[in-house]
Amino acid sequence: MKNILLAISFALLATTYSANVQAQNVAKSLCEYVSVDDKSRLRSFLKSNKLKIRNIFDGVQCNGQNLVAFASQNNAIKTGTLMLGKLPKAKVAGILTTITSPELTAAAQKRING
C-alpha cells in the first residue's frame, strides 16, 4: 500500500512540476513578445497555445509588473493596445494607475469610456 501511495504522490508532484515549468515558459514568452512590441508573434503564440489574455492576465507578471504596465514601461504600444482591447473594462479601470505611457493611457481611457 505504501508503494502505491508513494507512486501516486510522485506522479502528482511530477505533474505539478511539469505544469509549473510550462507556465513559467509561457510567461517568459509573453514577456519577451511584449518587451519587443511584437504584436503578431504575441497573437500567434496566444492562438497556438489556446490562451486568452483575459484568462492569464492576473497570473503573468514581467519584472514584477502586470503585462500592460510592462508594455507601458517598454513603450510597447501595439501589444499594450491589443491587451487593453481584450481585457474587461473593469480590469482596465483597475490597472489604469500602473500605465505610464500617454498612448496607452489614452487607449485605456477609450476602452473604459466607450
Side-chain angles (χ1 to χ4, degrees):
M1 186 67 171
K2 266 187 183 177
N3 291 339
I4 293 172
L5 288 176
L6 184 61
I8 291 172
S9 297
F10 181 71
L12 289 174
L13 181 63
T15 303
T16 303
Y17 176 76
S18 176
N20 221 3
V21 169
Q22 184 179 6
Q24 288 176 349
N25 289 340
V26 167
K28 182 180 175 189
S29 294
L30 291 172
C31 293
E32 287 174 1
Y33 297 144
V34 170
S35 71
V36 295
D37 201 19
D38 194 338
K39 180 179 169 182
S40 63
R41 283 178 51 192
L42 176 63
R43 289 177 67 126
S44 176
F45 180 79
L46 291 169
K47 187 172 183 175
S48 67
N49 288 290
K50 297 179 182 172
L51 299 171
K52 293 186 177 191
I53 289 290
R54 64 180 27 209
N55 295 338
I56 62 168
F57 184 78
D58 290 330
V60 177
Q61 289 196 340
C62 305
N63 293 343
Q65 300 175 316
N66 66 56
L67 286 167
V68 176
F70 184 69
S72 177
Q73 180 186 22
N74 288 289
N75 204 29
I77 307 305
K78 293 179 208 167
T79 55
T81 305
L82 170 73
M83 291 183 287
L84 288 170
K86 300 294 182 184
L87 291 171
K89 290 180 182 182
K91 177 64 72 178
V92 174
I95 63 167
L96 186 59
T97 59
T98 65
I99 302 171
T100 57
S101 165
E103 294 93 345
L104 289 179
T105 301
Q109 288 288 354
K110 183 178 178 182
R111 174 76 173 126
I112 294 167
N113 297 326

